[in-house]
Amino acid sequence: MAYNDPIPRKKVTIPVNKKVIYPGTFDPLTNGHLDLIERTAGMFDTVVIGVAASPSKKTMFSLEERVKLVEQSCSHLPNVSAVGFSGLLVDFAKQQEANVLIRGLRTTMDFEYEFGLTSMYRKLLPDLESIFLTPSEEFAFLSSTIVREVAIHKGSVAQFVPEAVNLAIINKIKSQ
């Protein structure tokens, strides 16, 4: 017996050769972020890391510093660039002429939050699709918040962040 789907479905096609945006605050960029970036770079021709200004958050690094750290950490990936932005992500996606977002999911709480955002994005920009990636197992616990907390309390974060980020964190903590 053939399955008959009674619900009309919108056909979604996402060409393989597409520009995608991986947005976030990246304060700081972690090895978990880098894992997702490297995997995304292997799937798409152009990956734009959208570094959000996030003025409501008290960030450790300025927007310019975060963009520079992403660029340094991703220099081995020729199809990846970092661009700082402020305002709505959907407006940034339009500006970048991208219709696909990459989002990382570590926990069910991340899923609930991202599900709500994706629903809003669809209302604001119906052709914007979201692709959710889970981190590699060794990075499933890792977050920028945890890295900042460990660093602020003088713990070593070298194993959790790219080398350029680790050096920047050490210098930032020393200067405070």
Side-chain angles (χ1 to χ4, degrees):
M1 178 191 281
Y3 174 73
N4 227 353
D5 189 353
I7 301 170
R9 308 241 183 233
K10 177 183 171 188
K11 184 178 179 188
V12 177
T13 56
I14 301 173
V16 174
N17 298 328
K18 202 67 173 170
K19 179 190 276 189
V20 298
I21 296 173
Y22 177 24
T25 307
F26 304 106
D27 186 49
L29 179 80
T30 68
N31 287 336
H33 293 130
L34 190 56
D35 171 55
L36 293 183
I37 293 167
E38 289 172 341
R39 290 167 43 210
T40 300
M43 292 186 267
F44 295 94
D45 281 350
T46 305
V47 180
V48 176
I49 309 305
V51 183
S54 300
S56 62
K57 293 183 179 180
K58 184 174 174 12
T59 58
M60 176 180 273
F61 294 102
S62 70
L63 177 60
E64 295 76 20
E65 289 171 322
R66 289 181 281 133
V67 168
K68 184 179 176 184
L69 288 170
V70 171
E71 288 172 342
Q72 290 172 340
S73 300
C74 296
S75 63
H76 65 290
L77 302 167
N79 61 332
V80 174
S81 62
V83 178
F85 76 97
S86 60
L88 291 175
L89 177 56
V90 293
D91 293 335
F92 180 67
K94 286 181 202 174
Q95 176 194 16
Q96 291 294 314
E97 298 179 349
N99 70 341
V100 178
L101 299 178
I102 299 296
R103 301 299 292 165
L105 297 178
R106 291 169 298 142
T107 66
T108 55
M109 288 187 309
D110 285 349
F111 174 78
E112 289 180 19
Y113 177 74
E114 293 295 339
F115 186 79
L117 285 178
T118 298
S119 298
M120 179 58 80
Y121 298 152
R122 282 194 183 130
K123 294 291 185 190
L124 297 172
L125 188 59
D127 290 335
L128 187 62
E129 292 292 342
S130 295
I131 296 176
F132 300 103
L133 295 177
T134 57
S136 296
E137 187 176 325
E138 67 264 31
F139 305 121
F141 70 94
L142 196 53
S143 73
S144 293
T145 303
I146 291 172
V147 168
R148 279 194 316 272
E149 284 297 313
V150 170
I152 287 167
H153 292 94
K154 310 259 189 277
S156 173
V157 296
Q159 64 182 323
F160 308 124
V161 297
E163 185 177 345
V165 175
N166 186 51
L167 293 174
I169 289 171
I170 290 168
N171 290 334
K172 183 68 77 172
I173 298 294
K174 280 181 185 177
S175 70
Q176 291 177 345

